[in-house]
Amino acid sequence: MQIGFVGLGKMGANMVERLLGGGHEVVAFDLNADAVAAAAAKGAIGAASLEDLVAKLDTPRSVWVMVPHGKPTDSTIKALAGLLGENDLIVDGGNSPFTESIAHADRLGERGIGFVDAGVSGGVWGLEIGYCMMVGGDTGLVDRLSPALDTLAPPDGWIHTGPSGSGHFVKMVHNGIEYGIMQAYAEGFEILRESGRYDINLAEVAEVWRHGSVIRSWLLDLAADALDRDPDLAGTEAWVDDSGEGRWTVFEAINESVPAPVITLALQMRMRSRQKESFAAKVNAALRAEFGGHVVGEPGTIK
């Protein structure tokens, strides 16, 4: 199929390349002209602007937006809405809040423009192994997009989750689960590393767990690779960002009165990683010293 593609970052550029490899015609645009040129060198039709992209597409048009959530996504969809017409389709493949996707679908629907929200998982490895996709929107629109979805995903790697917003809702929870799994691995490997009883090779443990263990996973595969390259992770800063989905999952859990302690604490541990020094820990230490006269600092020291 023919498809317009807006956003040629690490993930978007790889998705375009995978689409081209599947025989699709892709008209590609990015604010970075070098990224457009790189996509064109691989077979895409380069566009100099959104207007140029829309002009190079046959009707009914399909445009996939793959830019950061928030203002970049909102402004791109708003601009496209002014350029596209009835029966055209916009796909948001970024990590947008599901509530915003519902709003986009409603506003575009008033203009006769279709909207599909596609939660995409796979990261930089998606080019090689395919992307898992959770897709929300009207059945007819999803069916229309299915040739591209079949190419982007591995076999059985995409699902129509339901009406508008449901794709990003499922992807949101997916990322919340990811937070919990990553934190469990992180804690387990730290316990092994800090053991005073044994000198344990973490890379070897990660590798053996990959084979037949009940905790084997792709994330464990990545941990094994990282520990093999740098056993002490000396080249990695202990700063863990969050892009929003974990927070939204926790908010939704609270809204629905669903206990989610693992995901919630995993999110909070990411926040803790970004503190140079915890004031809360200082308060705790000060209170302990005040009521019990306990030493503040490392055992046997006073700071």
Side-chain angles (χ1 to χ4, degrees):
M1 67 177 290
Q2 185 192 57
I3 188 166
F5 207 99
V6 180
L8 303 173
K10 291 180 181 179
M11 202 160 180
N14 283 348
M15 292 175 73
V16 166
E17 186 173 346
R18 190 170 172 92
L19 286 167
L20 292 169
H24 301 279
E25 180 181 300
V26 181
V27 181
F29 170 69
D30 192 280
L31 293 174
N32 183 343
D34 290 340
V36 176
K42 293 179 179 177
I45 299 170
S49 63
L50 290 178
E51 292 83 358
D52 187 31
L53 178 141
V54 170
K56 289 177 175 177
L57 293 172
D58 301 327
T59 56
R61 307 172 184 91
S62 297
V63 181
W64 191 299
V65 176
M66 201 71 188
V67 300
H69 71 78
K71 187 176 180 179
T73 293
D74 293 342
S75 60
T76 301
I77 291 176
K78 183 177 180 180
L80 285 170
L83 299 170
L84 298 173
E86 192 168 356
N87 295 323
D88 288 340
L89 169 64
I90 296 175
V91 183
D92 178 9
N95 284 323
S96 297
F98 73 95
T99 50
E100 292 183 8
S101 296
I102 294 171
H104 286 315
D106 290 342
R107 286 193 292 267
L108 292 169
E110 294 172 358
R111 295 170 174 256
I113 300 171
F115 178 81
V116 165
D117 51 288
V120 182
S121 180
V124 296
W125 296 90
L127 172 60
E128 178 182 349
I129 65 177
Y131 301 90
C132 176
M133 290 178 292
M134 298 133 269
V135 184
D138 292 342
T139 299
L141 296 174
V142 175
D143 287 346
R144 175 174 149 189
L145 189 64
S146 63
L149 298 174
D150 288 341
T151 295
L152 289 168
D156 300 319
W158 71 270
I159 183 176
H160 181 196
T161 52
S164 297
S166 65
H168 281 154
F169 182 85
V170 175
K171 178 56 164 50
M172 174 192 77
V173 176
H174 164 282
N175 282 29
I177 293 170
E178 175 187 303
Y179 281 33
I181 295 172
M182 290 172 67
Q183 184 62 30
Y185 281 134
E187 293 173 11
F189 281 113
E190 184 165 24
I191 293 168
L192 291 172
R193 185 176 186 272
E194 297 303 315
S195 171
R197 295 176 178 270
Y198 308 106
D199 182 16
I200 297 174
N201 187 311
L202 300 186
E204 290 181 355
V205 170
E207 181 61 29
V208 77
W209 280 351
R210 294 179 59 227
H211 303 281
S213 164
V214 297
I215 62 168
R216 64 188 183 274
S217 72
W218 185 58
L219 288 172
L220 181 60
D221 295 343
L222 298 179
D225 290 342
L227 289 167
D228 182 60
R229 289 194 307 270
D230 186 359
D232 292 321
L233 300 182
T236 302
E237 185 179 358
W239 172 287
V240 188
D241 208 347
D242 70 281
S243 54
E245 299 88 347
R247 297 180 184 225
W248 307 334
T249 304
V250 172
F251 296 157
E252 192 63 19
I254 293 170
N255 289 339
E256 300 296 336
S257 298
V258 175
V262 172
I263 295 173
T264 302
L265 290 176
L267 170 65
Q268 291 176 344
M269 287 301 293
R270 291 191 176 202
M271 295 175 181
R272 177 63 184 91
S273 78
R274 303 193 290 268
Q275 293 180 306
K276 291 184 178 179
E277 190 170 29
S278 169
F279 185 75
K282 283 188 173 185
V283 173
N284 254 331
L287 289 174
R288 191 166 180 266
E290 289 293 326
F291 72 69
H294 298 287
V295 172
V296 177
E298 295 291 333
T301 67
I302 297 179
K303 293 185 178 179

